[in-house]
Amino acid sequence: MASSLTTFTDEARIALDTLSGRATGLFSPSLRLGVTGLSRAGKTVFISALVHNLIHGGRLPLFEAQKSGRIARAFLEQQPDDAVPRFQYEDHIAALVNDRAWPDSTRAISELRLTIEYESASGWSRMFSSGKLSVDIVDYPGEWLLDLPLLGKSFADFSHEAFEMAVLPVREYLSQTWRALSAETDPNADADEMTARRLAESFAAYLKACKLDERALSTLPPGRFLMPGDLEGSPALTFAPLAGVGDRRPRPGSLHAMMDRRYEAYKTHVVKPFFREHITRLDRQIVLIDAMQALNAGPGAMADLERAVTEILSCFRPGRGSFLTDLFSRRIDRILVAATKADHLHHESHDRLQAIVRRLADRAVARANFTGADVDVVAMAAVRATREGTVKQGRETLPVIIGTPIAGEKINGETFDGKTETAIFPGDLPENIDAVFDVSGADHRQDSADPAIRFVRFRPPKLERTAEGVTLSLPHIRLDRALQFLIGDHLA
């Protein structure tokens, strides 16, 4: 898939950019780490916790360089790309630590450079290594990544797939209004701005309905329809799939011709620059997923999440090149698929969560024909908002998690005020993983009953302080394992 997303001219520009970066890296080694995921998967929290733990010497027993005491210090530096917004680490940490509030979600691309000074474990490496690594962390919405497959699809392909997806059981009810409007629209009629606008707004409303917590669907291109930014209201975002269009050239001046042209403009001016300027420059990648929300919404949402991960993997450039090819082209050689919010479960269910994500990732890798890179999975919480305990219920002892639910969260009819700590039995993940992905017999009606598994969102924890009053680093679950997989070999 990735090889079909660029032209010869694009590849030439990518080669020049890569060569320039490699030349700089000879004197200042760097690693570009992409962080993506679909909304509410915890990208902002992951980056903030990663940086906070490294700067403050957090508890990272599975991160070998930290465990062995070889990291002298970690600190923030000016990022290399002046045209990319800076990831506002300080603001996000203030929200987590001082306000005990989760920071705002990723709405656009941002970047941060974290530099690590370390001592190599190998005497040979110490002779030739500077003992310094800059990690350029690139944060971008997963919704934008899901646009990349559009580069290889015509407007007719896009329309056909959109309607095919819209009649799936989990989406059929949500897409009714848009499909009805499309059915009464003649693609061969004269182009009309208000008709185009009504169709685009109806299509966007359908995508937004799919994204709501109770549905938790993931494959929702075009991504800028959900996060328009400064493109809102522009012709490049005022288009929609049309029913019944084929591969024949549309009549000039028709609604079909207008939609086709705007779709191509979206790809040219929005999608392609994002791929060329950011995705092709990555060395490592972590894909964060909110499997909890998909599990809440049922097998249809899990199937859609698998589809989204497949689309994401198909857009990366995996592999390991030779010394010569690496001068002109970057390849992603390690990808981590991480299920976030593991702290919403008792640790007894973590293995099941990880097994579910392993199944999802393995199936996505097979469907995307993804080869050439190491792919691993982990169940983690970049910031652990709960602790564990037990409660007695009659003769039975139940494992619970203890934390402060966010104001407005509900359990069994009780609404929390955001201040009261409580113990919650979150339930158990199913032992039979196949049932999680089985959409046959699943009820997708709008009035379907609540799922058997229900998770509650918690506020960030109060940070512990030492006797001297020093604030400790943010607690986590398996953040150290993620770090070891993503950058540990570069600090060996």
Side-chain angles (χ1 to χ4, degrees):
M1 171 73 76
S3 62
S4 67
L5 302 184
T6 54
T7 63
F8 178 80
T9 303
D10 294 330
E11 291 296 335
R13 293 180 63 179
I14 291 168
L16 287 174
D17 290 344
T18 304
L19 183 60
S20 174
R22 296 299 192 200
T24 303
L26 290 174
F27 304 98
S28 179
S30 65
L31 176 74
R32 291 186 70 82
L33 171 64
V35 180
T36 195
L38 302 173
S39 61
R40 297 186 297 276
K43 297 178 293 295
T44 302
V45 174
F46 172 80
I47 296 171
S48 301
L50 181 156
V51 174
H52 191 266
N53 272 278
L54 287 176
I55 288 177
H56 293 275
R59 292 162 285 189
L60 304 167
L62 297 182
F63 185 40
E64 196 279 329
Q66 180 86 327
K67 176 185 175 183
S68 59
R70 294 190 292 103
I71 293 182
R73 66 172 181 144
F75 55 96
L76 295 177
E77 287 194 289
Q78 293 183 28
Q79 66 194 58
D81 301 308
D82 291 335
V84 178
R86 182 179 183 273
F87 180 86
Q88 297 301 330
Y89 165 76
E90 295 81 3
D91 294 344
H92 300 322
I93 286 296
L96 284 166
V97 175
N98 299 333
D99 303 331
R100 294 185 63 200
W102 300 110
D104 293 336
S105 299
T106 298
R107 305 296 297 177
I109 194 164
S110 63
E111 185 178 344
L112 192 69
R113 168 166 281 197
L114 175 72
T115 296
I116 303 171
E117 292 181 350
Y118 68 100
E119 181 181 88
S120 175
S122 163
W124 181 261
S125 296
R126 285 196 292 271
M127 291 176 59
F128 298 98
S129 171
S130 64
K132 187 176 180 180
L133 175 70
S134 293
V135 182
D136 294 323
I137 303 171
V138 183
D139 174 34
Y140 59 96
E143 285 80 1
W144 292 12
L145 195 62
L146 289 172
D147 278 350
L148 296 185
L150 298 180
L151 294 177
K153 298 174 184 176
S154 67
F155 177 72
D157 295 333
F158 165 64
S159 294
H160 176 74
E161 290 185 11
F163 280 96
E164 197 174 60
M165 295 272 287
V167 295
L168 292 174
V170 74
R171 295 170 179 251
E172 189 175 14
Y173 175 87
L174 304 174
S175 65
Q176 278 181 348
T177 302
W178 165 62
R179 287 187 291 114
L181 182 61
S182 298
E184 62 188 36
T185 301
D186 180 7
N188 293 312
D190 290 344
D192 176 70
E193 191 64 46
M194 292 309 296
T195 300
R197 180 176 167 184
R198 282 194 299 271
L199 284 166
E201 289 175 349
S202 182
F203 182 61
Y206 148 61
L207 295 180
K208 290 173 183 175
C210 289
K211 188 181 175 184
L212 294 175
D213 286 353
E214 59 268 23
R215 295 295 174 179
L217 299 177
S218 305
T219 312
L220 304 170
R224 300 314 197 281
F225 277 47
L226 297 172
M227 296 180 177
D230 56 4
L231 291 172
E232 188 164 13
S234 68
L237 256 63
T238 311
F239 68 91
L242 292 174
V245 296
D247 293 326
R248 295 178 59 183
R249 179 185 291 271
R251 178 180 68 82
S254 66
L255 181 66
H256 182 186
M258 172 196 275
M259 295 295 199
D260 191 307
R261 185 182 69 253
R262 291 180 175 183
Y263 170 77
E264 293 298 330
Y266 181 80
K267 294 196 298 181
T268 299
H269 300 296
V270 178
V271 184
K272 187 174 286 188
F274 169 65
F275 179 70
R276 185 183 64 237
E277 296 167 13
H278 302 291
I279 302 303
T280 60
R281 299 175 62 200
L282 298 176
D283 300 304
R284 299 278 166 88
Q285 177 70 51
I286 181 169
V287 180
L288 301 169
I289 61 174
D290 187 355
M292 302 290 195
Q293 198 65 53
L295 285 167
N296 267 353
M302 286 299 296
D304 199 70
L305 179 58
E306 181 187 327
R307 186 183 298 111
V309 174
T310 302
E311 295 273 335
I312 286 172
L313 291 179
S314 70
C315 298
F316 292 133
R317 293 185 164 193
R320 297 176 180 82
S322 64
F323 172 77
L324 183 60
T325 58
D326 282 348
L327 288 175
F328 301 97
S329 176
R330 290 181 185 263
R331 295 279 171 178
I332 296 175
D333 59 358
R334 290 190 182 187
I335 295 179
L336 183 64
V337 180
T340 57
K341 306 177 185 177
D343 58 329
H344 289 41
L345 287 169
H346 195 273
H347 76 271
E348 293 176 355
S349 287
H350 288 183
D351 287 346
R352 293 182 187 179
L353 176 60
Q354 191 155 298
I356 289 170
V357 179
R358 170 63 69 185
R359 172 73 65 86
L360 183 149
D362 286 348
R363 287 166 40 147
V365 165
R367 288 174 59 189
N369 294 318
F370 188 84
T371 57
D374 293 334
V375 179
D376 200 3
V377 303
V378 65
M380 64 173 291
V383 174
R384 182 172 189 164
T386 66
R387 63 185 191 277
E388 295 186 351
T390 58
V391 296
K392 280 196 171 292
Q393 191 172 57
R395 295 183 178 181
E396 190 177 6
T397 300
L398 296 177
V400 297
I401 53 175
I402 303 167
T404 305
I406 291 175
E409 288 290 292
K410 297 180 180 180
I411 304 175
N412 297 327
E414 179 182 359
T415 302
F416 289 92
D417 59 7
K419 301 175 183 178
T420 306
E421 188 174 76
T422 189
I424 296 169
F425 175 62
D428 296 317
L429 293 179
E431 292 185 37
N432 180 11
I433 296 175
D434 293 334
V436 170
F437 296 93
D438 183 12
V439 296
S440 63
D443 189 354
H444 302 291
R445 295 172 303 163
Q446 181 72 7
D447 59 350
S448 60
D450 286 340
I453 304 169
R454 176 60 63 187
F455 303 102
V456 179
R457 294 175 297 171
F458 294 89
R459 292 183 64 191
K462 278 185 181 178
L463 283 198
E464 302 174 32
R465 293 179 181 271
T466 65
E468 294 78 21
V470 177
T471 301
L472 300 179
S473 57
L474 289 162
H476 63 86
I477 297 174
R478 300 187 190 92
L479 176 64
D480 48 351
R481 181 178 157 188
L483 277 168
Q484 181 61 29
F485 179 77
L486 292 169
I487 67 173
D489 58 320
H490 280 264
L491 302 174

PDB file of all heavy atoms in Angstrom, residues 31-35 46 50 135-140 281-286 334 483 486-487:
ATOM      1  N   LEU A  31      16.444   9.716  16.761  1.00  0.00           N
ATOM      2  CA  LEU A  31      15.465   8.678  16.435  1.00  0.00           C
ATOM      3  C   LEU A  31      14.106   9.342  16.390  1.00  0.00           C
ATOM      4  O   LEU A  31      13.714  10.042  17.326  1.00  0.00           O
ATOM      5  CB  LEU A  31      15.490   7.589  17.516  1.00  0.00           C
ATOM      6  CG  LEU A  31      14.467   6.461  17.399  1.00  0.00           C
ATOM      7  CD1 LEU A  31      14.870   5.503  16.279  1.00  0.00           C
ATOM      8  CD2 LEU A  31      14.353   5.691  18.714  1.00  0.00           C
ATOM      9  N   ARG A  32      13.358   9.147  15.299  1.00  0.00           N
ATOM     10  CA  ARG A  32      12.026   9.742  15.169  1.00  0.00           C
ATOM     11  C   ARG A  32      10.992   8.706  15.551  1.00  0.00           C
ATOM     12  O   ARG A  32      10.852   7.665  14.901  1.00  0.00           O
ATOM     13  CB  ARG A  32      11.794  10.269  13.751  1.00  0.00           C
ATOM     14  CG  ARG A  32      12.656  11.485  13.434  1.00  0.00           C
ATOM     15  CD  ARG A  32      12.316  12.075  12.077  1.00  0.00           C
ATOM     16  NE  ARG A  32      11.001  12.715  12.052  1.00  0.00           N
ATOM     17  CZ  ARG A  32      10.748  13.951  12.475  1.00  0.00           C
ATOM     18  NH1 ARG A  32      11.731  14.690  13.002  1.00  0.00           N
ATOM     19  NH2 ARG A  32       9.545  14.456  12.404  1.00  0.00           N
ATOM     20  N   LEU A  33      10.257   8.998  16.624  1.00  0.00           N
ATOM     21  CA  LEU A  33       9.243   8.097  17.167  1.00  0.00           C
ATOM     22  C   LEU A  33       7.856   8.663  16.889  1.00  0.00           C
ATOM     23  O   LEU A  33       7.501   9.731  17.390  1.00  0.00           O
ATOM     24  CB  LEU A  33       9.457   7.921  18.675  1.00  0.00           C
ATOM     25  CG  LEU A  33       8.352   7.185  19.444  1.00  0.00           C
ATOM     26  CD1 LEU A  33       8.229   5.741  18.959  1.00  0.00           C
ATOM     27  CD2 LEU A  33       8.635   7.226  20.950  1.00  0.00           C
ATOM     28  N   GLY A  34       7.082   7.951  16.097  1.00  0.00           N
ATOM     29  CA  GLY A  34       5.710   8.366  15.823  1.00  0.00           C
ATOM     30  C   GLY A  34       4.772   7.829  16.901  1.00  0.00           C
ATOM     31  O   GLY A  34       4.861   6.664  17.293  1.00  0.00           O
ATOM     32  N   VAL A  35       3.893   8.684  17.373  1.00  0.00           N
ATOM     33  CA  VAL A  35       2.886   8.286  18.367  1.00  0.00           C
ATOM     34  C   VAL A  35       1.520   8.598  17.777  1.00  0.00           C
ATOM     35  O   VAL A  35       1.190   9.756  17.518  1.00  0.00           O
ATOM     36  CB  VAL A  35       3.068   9.039  19.697  1.00  0.00           C
ATOM     37  CG1 VAL A  35       2.003   8.614  20.704  1.00  0.00           C
ATOM     38  CG2 VAL A  35       4.454   8.804  20.269  1.00  0.00           C
ATOM     39  N   PHE A  46       0.337   9.512  27.073  1.00  0.00           N
ATOM     40  CA  PHE A  46       1.501   8.645  26.871  1.00  0.00           C
ATOM     41  C   PHE A  46       2.781   9.465  26.723  1.00  0.00           C
ATOM     42  O   PHE A  46       3.790   9.195  27.382  1.00  0.00           O
ATOM     43  CB  PHE A  46       1.298   7.766  25.636  1.00  0.00           C
ATOM     44  CG  PHE A  46       2.518   6.978  25.247  1.00  0.00           C
ATOM     45  CD1 PHE A  46       2.850   5.803  25.895  1.00  0.00           C
ATOM     46  CD2 PHE A  46       3.362   7.440  24.238  1.00  0.00           C
ATOM     47  CE1 PHE A  46       3.992   5.090  25.552  1.00  0.00           C
ATOM     48  CE2 PHE A  46       4.499   6.742  23.883  1.00  0.00           C
ATOM     49  CZ  PHE A  46       4.815   5.550  24.540  1.00  0.00           C
ATOM     50  N   LEU A  50       5.825   9.524  29.409  1.00  0.00           N
ATOM     51  CA  LEU A  50       7.140   9.058  28.953  1.00  0.00           C
ATOM     52  C   LEU A  50       8.213  10.087  29.291  1.00  0.00           C
ATOM     53  O   LEU A  50       9.249   9.760  29.893  1.00  0.00           O
ATOM     54  CB  LEU A  50       7.082   8.805  27.447  1.00  0.00           C
ATOM     55  CG  LEU A  50       8.328   8.285  26.719  1.00  0.00           C
ATOM     56  CD1 LEU A  50       7.906   7.555  25.437  1.00  0.00           C
ATOM     57  CD2 LEU A  50       9.275   9.423  26.324  1.00  0.00           C
ATOM     58  N   VAL A 135      15.521  11.888  20.896  1.00  0.00           N
ATOM     59  CA  VAL A 135      14.297  11.222  20.457  1.00  0.00           C
ATOM     60  C   VAL A 135      13.295  12.302  20.056  1.00  0.00           C
ATOM     61  O   VAL A 135      12.826  13.067  20.899  1.00  0.00           O
ATOM     62  CB  VAL A 135      13.710  10.328  21.570  1.00  0.00           C
ATOM     63  CG1 VAL A 135      12.453   9.620  21.058  1.00  0.00           C
ATOM     64  CG2 VAL A 135      14.736   9.315  22.054  1.00  0.00           C
ATOM     65  N   ASP A 136      13.020  12.384  18.769  1.00  0.00           N
ATOM     66  CA  ASP A 136      12.038  13.337  18.257  1.00  0.00           C
ATOM     67  C   ASP A 136      10.675  12.658  18.240  1.00  0.00           C
ATOM     68  O   ASP A 136      10.416  11.763  17.428  1.00  0.00           O
ATOM     69  CB  ASP A 136      12.418  13.810  16.855  1.00  0.00           C
ATOM     70  CG  ASP A 136      13.706  14.621  16.857  1.00  0.00           C
ATOM     71  OD1 ASP A 136      13.908  15.381  17.818  1.00  0.00           O
ATOM     72  OD2 ASP A 136      14.508  14.467  15.920  1.00  0.00           O
ATOM     73  N   ILE A 137       9.813  13.064  19.161  1.00  0.00           N
ATOM     74  CA  ILE A 137       8.501  12.445  19.331  1.00  0.00           C
ATOM     75  C   ILE A 137       7.488  13.212  18.485  1.00  0.00           C
ATOM     76  O   ILE A 137       7.290  14.416  18.681  1.00  0.00           O
ATOM     77  CB  ILE A 137       8.087  12.458  20.812  1.00  0.00           C
ATOM     78  CG1 ILE A 137       9.149  11.755  21.664  1.00  0.00           C
ATOM     79  CG2 ILE A 137       6.729  11.785  20.994  1.00  0.00           C
ATOM     80  CD1 ILE A 137       8.931  11.915  23.169  1.00  0.00           C
ATOM     81  N   VAL A 138       6.872  12.519  17.536  1.00  0.00           N
ATOM     82  CA  VAL A 138       5.914  13.136  16.628  1.00  0.00           C
ATOM     83  C   VAL A 138       4.520  12.616  16.969  1.00  0.00           C
ATOM     84  O   VAL A 138       4.233  11.430  16.849  1.00  0.00           O
ATOM     85  CB  VAL A 138       6.257  12.823  15.158  1.00  0.00           C
ATOM     86  CG1 VAL A 138       5.289  13.544  14.225  1.00  0.00           C
ATOM     87  CG2 VAL A 138       7.697  13.219  14.845  1.00  0.00           C
ATOM     88  N   ASP A 139       3.661  13.514  17.405  1.00  0.00           N
ATOM     89  CA  ASP A 139       2.307  13.178  17.850  1.00  0.00           C
ATOM     90  C   ASP A 139       1.316  13.594  16.768  1.00  0.00           C
ATOM     91  O   ASP A 139       1.305  14.749  16.339  1.00  0.00           O
ATOM     92  CB  ASP A 139       2.032  13.934  19.159  1.00  0.00           C
ATOM     93  CG  ASP A 139       0.599  13.786  19.646  1.00  0.00           C
ATOM     94  OD1 ASP A 139       0.016  12.713  19.443  1.00  0.00           O
ATOM     95  OD2 ASP A 139       0.073  14.751  20.232  1.00  0.00           O
ATOM     96  N   TYR A 140       0.496  12.649  16.312  1.00  0.00           N
ATOM     97  CA  TYR A 140      -0.477  13.000  15.282  1.00  0.00           C
ATOM     98  C   TYR A 140      -1.730  12.142  15.430  1.00  0.00           C
ATOM     99  O   TYR A 140      -1.672  11.009  15.902  1.00  0.00           O
ATOM    100  CB  TYR A 140       0.110  12.845  13.877  1.00  0.00           C
ATOM    101  CG  TYR A 140       0.586  11.456  13.549  1.00  0.00           C
ATOM    102  CD1 TYR A 140      -0.235  10.564  12.862  1.00  0.00           C
ATOM    103  CD2 TYR A 140       1.858  11.030  13.901  1.00  0.00           C
ATOM    104  CE1 TYR A 140       0.190   9.285  12.546  1.00  0.00           C
ATOM    105  CE2 TYR A 140       2.302   9.754  13.592  1.00  0.00           C
ATOM    106  CZ  TYR A 140       1.460   8.890  12.908  1.00  0.00           C
ATOM    107  OH  TYR A 140       1.887   7.629  12.608  1.00  0.00           O
ATOM    108  N   ARG A 281       9.196   9.913   7.434  1.00  0.00           N
ATOM    109  CA  ARG A 281      10.401  10.278   8.185  1.00  0.00           C
ATOM    110  C   ARG A 281      10.519   9.547   9.521  1.00  0.00           C
ATOM    111  O   ARG A 281      11.406   9.825  10.311  1.00  0.00           O
ATOM    112  CB  ARG A 281      10.409  11.795   8.431  1.00  0.00           C
ATOM    113  CG  ARG A 281      10.438  12.631   7.167  1.00  0.00           C
ATOM    114  CD  ARG A 281      10.322  14.102   7.497  1.00  0.00           C
ATOM    115  NE  ARG A 281      11.444  14.555   8.298  1.00  0.00           N
ATOM    116  CZ  ARG A 281      11.429  15.667   9.044  1.00  0.00           C
ATOM    117  NH1 ARG A 281      10.324  16.402   9.095  1.00  0.00           N
ATOM    118  NH2 ARG A 281      12.490  16.012   9.741  1.00  0.00           N
ATOM    119  N   LEU A 282       9.617   8.593   9.781  1.00  0.00           N
ATOM    120  CA  LEU A 282       9.599   7.909  11.075  1.00  0.00           C
ATOM    121  C   LEU A 282      10.532   6.699  11.094  1.00  0.00           C
ATOM    122  O   LEU A 282      10.697   6.006  10.090  1.00  0.00           O
ATOM    123  CB  LEU A 282       8.175   7.465  11.411  1.00  0.00           C
ATOM    124  CG  LEU A 282       7.129   8.571  11.561  1.00  0.00           C
ATOM    125  CD1 LEU A 282       5.755   7.962  11.797  1.00  0.00           C
ATOM    126  CD2 LEU A 282       7.500   9.519  12.700  1.00  0.00           C
ATOM    127  N   ASP A 283      11.125   6.440  12.270  1.00  0.00           N
ATOM    128  CA  ASP A 283      11.969   5.264  12.486  1.00  0.00           C
ATOM    129  C   ASP A 283      11.251   4.199  13.309  1.00  0.00           C
ATOM    130  O   ASP A 283      11.452   3.000  13.098  1.00  0.00           O
ATOM    131  CB  ASP A 283      13.256   5.656  13.226  1.00  0.00           C
ATOM    132  CG  ASP A 283      14.082   6.665  12.456  1.00  0.00           C
ATOM    133  OD1 ASP A 283      14.427   6.374  11.306  1.00  0.00           O
ATOM    134  OD2 ASP A 283      14.380   7.745  13.010  1.00  0.00           O
ATOM    135  N   ARG A 284      10.476   4.626  14.287  1.00  0.00           N
ATOM    136  CA  ARG A 284       9.740   3.729  15.161  1.00  0.00           C
ATOM    137  C   ARG A 284       8.320   4.266  15.317  1.00  0.00           C
ATOM    138  O   ARG A 284       8.072   5.458  15.123  1.00  0.00           O
ATOM    139  CB  ARG A 284      10.414   3.635  16.558  1.00  0.00           C
ATOM    140  CG  ARG A 284      11.856   3.086  16.504  1.00  0.00           C
ATOM    141  CD  ARG A 284      11.836   1.576  16.427  1.00  0.00           C
ATOM    142  NE  ARG A 284      13.118   1.001  16.050  1.00  0.00           N
ATOM    143  CZ  ARG A 284      14.094   0.671  16.898  1.00  0.00           C
ATOM    144  NH1 ARG A 284      13.922   0.870  18.203  1.00  0.00           N
ATOM    145  NH2 ARG A 284      15.204   0.133  16.459  1.00  0.00           N
ATOM    146  N   GLN A 285       7.395   3.385  15.725  1.00  0.00           N
ATOM    147  CA  GLN A 285       6.004   3.798  15.812  1.00  0.00           C
ATOM    148  C   GLN A 285       5.299   3.051  16.935  1.00  0.00           C
ATOM    149  O   GLN A 285       5.496   1.846  17.118  1.00  0.00           O
ATOM    150  CB  GLN A 285       5.289   3.500  14.491  1.00  0.00           C
ATOM    151  CG  GLN A 285       3.816   3.826  14.478  1.00  0.00           C
ATOM    152  CD  GLN A 285       3.545   5.314  14.508  1.00  0.00           C
ATOM    153  OE1 GLN A 285       4.097   6.062  13.702  1.00  0.00           O
ATOM    154  NE2 GLN A 285       2.702   5.762  15.420  1.00  0.00           N
ATOM    155  N   ILE A 286       4.475   3.779  17.689  1.00  0.00           N
ATOM    156  CA  ILE A 286       3.554   3.150  18.632  1.00  0.00           C
ATOM    157  C   ILE A 286       2.137   3.532  18.221  1.00  0.00           C
ATOM    158  O   ILE A 286       1.860   4.693  17.901  1.00  0.00           O
ATOM    159  CB  ILE A 286       3.845   3.551  20.095  1.00  0.00           C
ATOM    160  CG1 ILE A 286       2.855   2.834  21.041  1.00  0.00           C
ATOM    161  CG2 ILE A 286       3.827   5.044  20.300  1.00  0.00           C
ATOM    162  CD1 ILE A 286       3.223   2.955  22.511  1.00  0.00           C
ATOM    163  N   ARG A 334      10.287  -1.123  13.955  1.00  0.00           N
ATOM    164  CA  ARG A 334       9.575  -1.623  15.129  1.00  0.00           C
ATOM    165  C   ARG A 334       8.266  -0.866  15.309  1.00  0.00           C
ATOM    166  O   ARG A 334       8.247   0.376  15.283  1.00  0.00           O
ATOM    167  CB  ARG A 334      10.412  -1.477  16.409  1.00  0.00           C
ATOM    168  CG  ARG A 334      11.608  -2.412  16.474  1.00  0.00           C
ATOM    169  CD  ARG A 334      12.246  -2.407  17.846  1.00  0.00           C
ATOM    170  NE  ARG A 334      13.413  -3.274  17.876  1.00  0.00           N
ATOM    171  CZ  ARG A 334      14.104  -3.569  18.976  1.00  0.00           C
ATOM    172  NH1 ARG A 334      13.730  -3.050  20.141  1.00  0.00           N
ATOM    173  NH2 ARG A 334      15.155  -4.369  18.912  1.00  0.00           N
ATOM    174  N   LEU A 483       8.917   1.441  26.503  1.00  0.00           N
ATOM    175  CA  LEU A 483      10.153   2.177  26.245  1.00  0.00           C
ATOM    176  C   LEU A 483      11.280   1.248  25.804  1.00  0.00           C
ATOM    177  O   LEU A 483      12.041   1.568  24.883  1.00  0.00           O
ATOM    178  CB  LEU A 483      10.578   2.942  27.499  1.00  0.00           C
ATOM    179  CG  LEU A 483       9.921   4.300  27.738  1.00  0.00           C
ATOM    180  CD1 LEU A 483      10.218   4.790  29.137  1.00  0.00           C
ATOM    181  CD2 LEU A 483      10.394   5.287  26.710  1.00  0.00           C
ATOM    182  N   LEU A 486      10.730   0.242  22.181  1.00  0.00           N
ATOM    183  CA  LEU A 486      10.792   1.327  21.202  1.00  0.00           C
ATOM    184  C   LEU A 486      12.173   1.951  21.071  1.00  0.00           C
ATOM    185  O   LEU A 486      12.582   2.295  19.953  1.00  0.00           O
ATOM    186  CB  LEU A 486       9.767   2.410  21.565  1.00  0.00           C
ATOM    187  CG  LEU A 486       8.298   1.991  21.413  1.00  0.00           C
ATOM    188  CD1 LEU A 486       7.383   3.034  22.046  1.00  0.00           C
ATOM    189  CD2 LEU A 486       7.937   1.810  19.931  1.00  0.00           C
ATOM    190  N   ILE A 487      12.909   2.127  22.167  1.00  0.00           N
ATOM    191  CA  ILE A 487      14.202   2.824  22.074  1.00  0.00           C
ATOM    192  C   ILE A 487      15.338   2.124  22.798  1.00  0.00           C
ATOM    193  O   ILE A 487      16.483   2.590  22.733  1.00  0.00           O
ATOM    194  CB  ILE A 487      14.091   4.280  22.592  1.00  0.00           C
ATOM    195  CG1 ILE A 487      13.815   4.305  24.103  1.00  0.00           C
ATOM    196  CG2 ILE A 487      13.004   5.049  21.844  1.00  0.00           C
ATOM    197  CD1 ILE A 487      13.858   5.711  24.695  1.00  0.00           C
TER     198      ILE A 487
END
